Amino acid sequence: MCRRACYDDGSAKMWGDTTLANFTELESGNDSGIEMMFTYDGDKKLTGVVANIACPAQVLEHNSFISSDYMGKVRELIQAKYGKDVCFLGLVSPAGDMCPRDLIRWVDAEFPLNYPNITHEKNIPRRADPSMFDIKGANLAAKRVANEIFWQLDDVAEYVTETELVHKTIKMDLPLRHVTIKEKDAAIAAIKDYFNSHKGNINYVDNARMQIHSGTINRYNLQQNMDVFEIEIHVMRVGDVAFATNPFELFLNYGNRIRSRSLAKQTFLIQLACGAYGYLPTEKAEKGSHYSAFVSSGTAGHEGGEMLVRKTLSEINSLWEK
């Protein structure tokens, strides 16, 4: 689900409070579809499940323990039903502005979390899902995904034994997202004002805010000597199915545009592959600002997103246009 709330002054905020009268909309939609592929042995016994989901595996973020999150729990449910030898590959589709939690039916975490946006002015009790910051939430998210996989496995009727396999590695240049002189000067002024008023006393929230400003200044300095950066993407055809990667936390709408115009019968899109260049927001998100849309949140801006969509589509569709 979209994790960016919009307000009537044109601003946006990650996990923003939707109980405020100034709340207008969630910034983008969501993608509840799941691309699936199943593998079998020569006796048609299930050996693996691939699921491509437009939601990051981060229900259990802001906690101090290691977890495979809902993806790991999906694997457990699959193996409990079909056997320990069945492998599961969970692939996250473009979902830089998505999260597992519902901002409209917000449910607070069971215990305090050290992040300012998670604390809202009102805590209205909801008859809704458990908090998607807690283990109960991770279990529920996994159950929903696993149930969809189970239903699809019950209906498998088509088995493909021979497939065309084509793989391409593409290097491409994208423009560095720029900072204006005005933005750079404002960031310098904000840091100076902070230290003049706080006398060096820094807390968690202030430190995050100053990092945003320092990121703006660093980008301004970097762009004086660097205009473009190179990324690596992969495009693959497996029978009538396409796979394509990107190295960003890519906002949902870019992935939707690629998938909807792809000539493949199914299109698997995988983000944060072959590098990690931060978030790649839409133009609307850049105007709304806040975390994931700040200049310091990523390397490319929406111009780079447009180029990435066009190049990925061109490379995918070239494998079908023969």
Side-chain angles (χ1 to χ4, degrees), residues 220-258:
Y220 178 83
N221 293 333
L222 177 64
Q223 72 196 29
Q224 305 310 312
N225 300 304
M226 176 179 170
D227 273 328
V228 299
F229 64 101
E230 184 182 75
I231 65 167
E232 177 179 312
I233 63 175
H234 291 255
V235 171
M236 184 165 64
R237 177 172 179 170
V238 183
D240 56 13
V241 176
F243 287 80
T245 70
N246 72 83
F248 301 98
E249 291 195 63
L250 190 65
F251 273 37
L252 177 81
N253 286 344
Y254 295 119
N256 282 347
R257 290 166 57 189
I258 295 170

Side-chain angles (χ1 to χ4, degrees), residues 27 97 251 253-254 280-287 293 302:
E27 191 173 78
D97 50 345
F251 273 37
N253 286 344
Y254 295 119
L280 206 171
T282 61
E283 184 176 14
K284 181 178 181 180
E286 289 175 6
K287 292 176 180 177
H302 70 275

Side-chain angles (χ1 to χ4, degrees), residues 124-181:
I124 303 174
R126 303 292 189 191
R127 185 172 289 117
D129 292 343
S131 169
M132 285 293 166
F133 287 106
D134 298 323
I135 292 176
K136 290 179 182 177
N139 287 333
L140 178 58
K143 187 179 295 184
R144 286 175 170 161
V145 173
N147 283 341
E148 186 67 23
I149 291 171
F150 297 160
W151 291 333
Q152 296 300 325
L153 278 168
D154 287 343
D155 292 333
V156 171
E158 178 185 7
Y159 295 88
V160 179
T161 57
E162 295 183 6
T163 61
E164 179 183 8
L165 175 61
V166 183
H167 171 233
K168 295 197 292 185
T169 302
I170 299 107
K171 301 290 183 70
M172 65 177 296
D173 288 338
L174 292 183
L176 187 72
R177 184 177 171 188
H178 272 205
V179 166
T180 65
I181 294 175

Side-chain angles (χ1 to χ4, degrees), residues 33 40 42 85 111-112 116 127 134 139 149 163 174 201 239 247 264 274 292 295 311 315 318:
Y40 297 83
D85 293 334
F111 51 90
R127 185 172 289 117
D134 298 323
N139 287 333
I149 291 171
T163 61
L174 292 183
N201 296 318
C274 298
S292 73
V295 168
K311 183 62 173 177
E315 295 292 345
S318 70

Side-chain angles (χ1 to χ4, degrees), residues 175-221:
L176 187 72
R177 184 177 171 188
H178 272 205
V179 166
T180 65
I181 294 175
K182 183 178 179 181
E183 290 170 333
K184 180 262 297 182
D185 290 343
I188 293 173
I191 292 175
K192 287 181 177 179
D193 289 345
Y194 170 80
F195 279 101
N196 288 336
S197 59
H198 287 71
K199 306 302 181 184
N201 296 318
I202 289 183
N203 61 34
Y204 172 82
V205 177
D206 292 330
N207 185 59
R209 187 178 296 116
M210 292 306 104
Q211 187 174 23
I212 292 163
H213 296 314
S214 65
T216 299
I217 298 167
N218 289 338
R219 178 60 51 81
Y220 178 83
N221 293 333

